[in-house]
Amino acid sequence: MSGPARTAIVTGAGSGIGLATAVRLAADGYAAALVDIDERGLDKAAAAVDEAGGQSLVYVHDLADGEGFAGVADDVAGRRPAIDLLVNNAGVGVRASLTETTTEQWDRTIAVNLTAMFHTCRTVLGHMLRAGHGVIVNVSSVAGVVGVAERAAYCASKAGVVGLTRAIAADYAARGIRANAICPGTVATEWIDRILSGAEDPEGARAAMERRQLDGRMGSPEEVAAGIAFLADDSARFVNGTAFVMDGGMTAV
Ligand SMILES: NC(=O)c1ccc[n+]([C@@H]2O[C@H](COP(=O)([O-])OP(=O)(O)OC[C@H]3O[C@@H](n4cnc5c(N)ncnc54)[C@H](O)[C@@H]3O)[C@@H](O)[C@H]2O)c1
């Protein structure tokens, strides 16, 4: 694959924030390696990247298979000059307080939201450190910086993402690596649609979710993609190891 000079790997690219990020990065001049467990979502994302004039590589992969990610990264590295950017976006949620959380729910949430990032970051850092440069953006959540009711495993996983990201910044800043977390508030994606479709009063639940933001609306996937694109960009070269909260003011009050 020739064309765009830079290369980004985006996980969870088949839907929502990941899909919007892939399209945005394509417009910003990245070739996008799209990783997701959902093959149909990946087809949709690849078509959207094409439409934006970009180029994509597609990988159907369950990120809970941490060791298996090396095959994805090696393939990208073999086809592209370097891996310039890793956006760890894939995630899952479970609605449960701590005492309601099953061991299986806990293990799956930590595996996909946190342990998968350990593997993807470790693997891709190998490539980036050899190249002498690289940027990592890890998608956390407001649930990574404040407590959210009935989200025990999710909060733990997302706070772990912030800690992991800061540790990467501390260890590798001097070797040309920047790593930042982004912590969105409520964002109108399929994720939220799924939560609302299971609510007793979907419209009431939507209104309550919208009210959590100071401006009374949910964010859009494109707004979060713009935040990720900023953190990825050279103009953010003084931004390292931060947890960038982008939540319409949800946690400001
Ligand atoms: N939507 C929100 O309100 C919101 C708020 C804060 C943070 N986030 C975070 O943003 C990220 C994206 O969320 P979204 O709202 O776009 O969700 P989404 O459900 O629309 O998209 C998530 C994508 O991740 C993929 N995925 C899930 N498990 C996977 C696995 N094991 N392997 C590979 N791919 C997998 C899904 O197939 C899907 O395409 C998540 O990490 C989420 O925690 C979302």
Side-chain angles (χ1 to χ4, degrees), residues 15 17 36-37 62-63 89 154 158 184-185 187 189 191 194:
S15 175
I17 294 169
D36 206 293
I37 197 172
D62 181 352
L63 289 153
N89 161 78
Y154 186 70
K158 292 299 188 179
V187 184
T189 67
W191 176 303
R194 283 193 300 274

Side-chain angles (χ1 to χ4, degrees), residues 22 26 53 65 69 79 89 92 98 118 126 160 197 221 235 242 245-246:
D65 170 17
F69 183 77
R79 290 166 189 269
N89 161 78
V92 292
L98 184 67
F118 159 67
S197 67
S235 59
T242 196
V245 175
M246 192 181 200

Side-chain angles (χ1 to χ4, degrees), residues 2 28 70 75 78 89 100 102 109 132 141 155 159 183 186 188-189 198 204 249:
S2 60
D28 286 357
D75 192 76
N89 161 78
E100 293 161 354
T102 66
T109 307
S141 165
C155 285
C183 302
T186 321
T189 67

Side-chain angles (χ1 to χ4, degrees), residues 6-229:
R6 295 176 295 177
T7 304
I9 296 178
V10 182
T11 75
S15 175
I17 294 169
L19 196 158
T21 299
V23 170
R24 169 62 193 254
L25 293 174
D28 286 357
Y30 290 85
L34 314 174
V35 184
D36 206 293
I37 197 172
D38 174 8
E39 195 170 350
R40 285 179 54 194
L42 282 173
D43 288 345
K44 198 170 62 170
V49 167
D50 283 354
E51 206 173 305
Q55 290 186 9
S56 57
L57 297 166
V58 169
Y59 300 91
V60 182
H61 176 70
D62 181 352
L63 289 153
D65 170 17
E67 301 290 343
F69 183 77
V72 173
D74 286 348
D75 192 76
V76 177
R79 290 166 189 269
R80 297 290 308 167
I83 302 172
D84 303 284
L85 170 64
L86 170 65
V87 180
N88 278 308
N89 161 78
V92 292
V94 54
R95 179 186 189 128
S97 68
L98 184 67
T99 51
E100 293 161 354
T101 304
T102 66
T103 304
E104 193 185 22
Q105 287 171 329
W106 176 271
D107 286 346
R108 179 75 187 168
T109 307
I110 299 298
V112 176
N113 292 5
L114 183 56
T115 309
M117 283 197 200
F118 159 67
H119 287 286
T120 57
C121 289
R122 192 176 60 169
T123 303
V124 171
L125 272 168
H127 294 278
M128 289 177 167
L129 289 168
R130 276 193 294 280
H133 71 94
V135 177
I136 295 174
V137 180
N138 291 331
V139 179
S140 175
S141 165
V142 287
V145 289
V146 299
V148 177
E150 299 185 307
R151 296 289 188 279
Y154 186 70
C155 285
S157 70
K158 292 299 188 179
V161 168
V162 172
L164 174 69
T165 306
R166 289 187 167 135
I168 292 169
D171 282 332
Y172 303 109
R175 296 173 66 186
I177 307 295
R178 285 194 303 113
N180 289 289
I182 187 164
C183 302
T186 321
V187 184
T189 67
E190 290 83 341
W191 176 303
I192 298 297
D193 292 344
R194 283 193 300 274
I195 293 174
L196 292 178
S197 67
E200 258 174 45
D201 169 14
E203 279 320 303
R206 176 180 296 279
M209 276 189 173
E210 287 170 347
R211 273 198 305 275
R212 298 196 301 202
Q213 281 64 229
L214 288 184
D215 46 1
R217 66 173 181 93
M218 295 186 202
S220 71
E222 290 74 22
E223 285 172 314
V224 180
I228 291 170

